[in-house]
Amino acid sequence: GDSVTQMEGPVTLSEEAFLTINCTYTATGYPSLFWYVQYPGEGLQLLLKATKADDKGSNKGFEATYRKETTSFHLEKGSVQVSDSAVYFCALSNTGGFKTIFGAGTRLFVKA
Amino acid sequence: NAGVTQTPKFQVLKTGQSMTLQCAQDMNHNSMYWYRQDPGMGLRLIYYSASEGTTDKGEVPNGYNVSRLNKREFSLRLESAAPSQTSVYFCASSDVNEQFFGPGTRLTVL
């Protein structure tokens, strides 16, 4: 079945460091790919998405490119801030927002 | 717009007690979901409802029941709580583009 694998955390960075969180997927067809973020004590919220190969999703300085040849959707940010400390979930869906499959999540700590 | 709301925020139960977690959305979405979140295991789908009047099992349905009361409301019931059901429970709804999550219910079963 479809699945998402993302790097284990926690990831600890200093402020202004470069961030990469790796995500690979297994899926039939051509799924949409997502990154969701969960801030402490809150539910998940959509950070960015891409719906077809070579699309780049971006939001709040984060970006990820849909790579079909490597089945990957790595999350990057050039300069992280303390306020980016959260848990990041990679996800996929073959049906838009319906029945999304989530990765295990990667916790990010950013130190001042 | 309140989005997705859940009650209660926190709950402590004793083994064998029952309770219902409530969820409501005001975005006119057809699809709604219940997930549980456990450390190191990400989100696991318990039940979902593709539309009003339908419900289906997800990955971990045992020990739970659901009711799609109307288009807005989707409740999750634990008939006889067990310590293994200690978790954070999230309700979500979706449109064609993304899922929208409630703030969660932290449940402890002693």
Side-chain angles (χ1 to χ4, degrees):
Chain A
D2 296 353
S3 65
V4 174
T5 303
Q6 58 183 107
M7 63 188 287
E8 286 191 29
V11 174
T12 302
L13 296 173
S14 297
E15 209 166 21
E16 299 185 2
F18 185 86
L19 168 71
T20 300
I21 300 178
N22 290 336
C23 171
T24 58
Y25 67 91
T26 302
T28 55
Y30 302 94
S32 294
L33 302 176
F34 308 82
W35 278 101
Y36 283 80
V37 59
Q38 183 182 28
Y39 297 105
E42 300 182 8
L44 281 71
Q45 58 186 274
L46 181 67
L47 179 61
L48 56 83
K49 70 174 185 178
T51 58
K52 60 183 187 295
D54 300 324
D55 266 4
K56 179 184 286 189
S58 61
N59 186 24
K60 299 182 181 180
F62 291 89
E63 57 183 34
T65 301
Y66 190 141
R67 301 285 189 201
K68 192 170 186 307
E69 64 276 12
T70 54
T71 61
S72 65
F73 193 55
H74 304 321
L75 182 68
E76 297 181 336
K77 186 175 186 183
S79 176
V80 294
Q81 305 299 313
V82 172
S83 57
D84 294 327
S85 297
V87 181
Y88 293 83
F89 292 88
C90 186
L92 69 81
S93 174
N94 272 302
T95 50
F98 182 62
K99 287 199 72 180
T100 301
I101 295 170
F102 292 87
T106 302
R107 184 176 296 277
L108 170 66
F109 292 105
V110 180
K111 303 180 296 184
Chain B
N1 273 358
V4 179
T5 56
Q6 293 183 235
T7 55
K9 289 193 187 315
F10 301 93
Q11 184 71 50
V12 178
L13 294 177
K14 294 181 180 177
T15 297
Q17 288 185 315
S18 62
M19 79 161 296
T20 300
L21 281 63
Q22 307 287 352
C23 173
Q25 53 94 7
D26 62 2
M27 295 172 283
N28 203 36
H29 290 161
N30 286 321
S31 302
M32 297 185 73
Y33 314 81
W34 276 104
Y35 295 92
R36 59 179 289 173
Q37 183 179 29
D38 301 294
M41 303 195 72
L43 289 174
R44 292 185 291 171
L45 182 64
I46 304 171
Y47 271 93
Y48 66 98
S49 170
S51 61
E52 185 178 355
T54 69
T55 60
D56 285 285
K57 295 178 180 179
E59 183 184 354
V60 289
N62 290 347
Y64 304 95
N65 285 300
V66 290
S67 296
R68 185 72 183 268
L69 304 169
N70 48 54
K71 193 170 187 179
R72 289 188 65 248
E73 298 172 289
F74 188 40
S75 62
L76 178 72
R77 182 158 178 85
L78 286 70
E79 290 291 353
S80 179
S84 61
Q85 294 178 304
T86 293
S87 189
V88 181
Y89 291 85
F90 288 99
C91 177
S93 66
S94 69
D95 62 14
V96 295
N97 295 311
E98 68 182 271
Q99 296 207 350
F100 298 81
F101 286 80
T105 295
R106 186 173 295 275
L107 175 67
T108 301
V109 183
L110 302 176

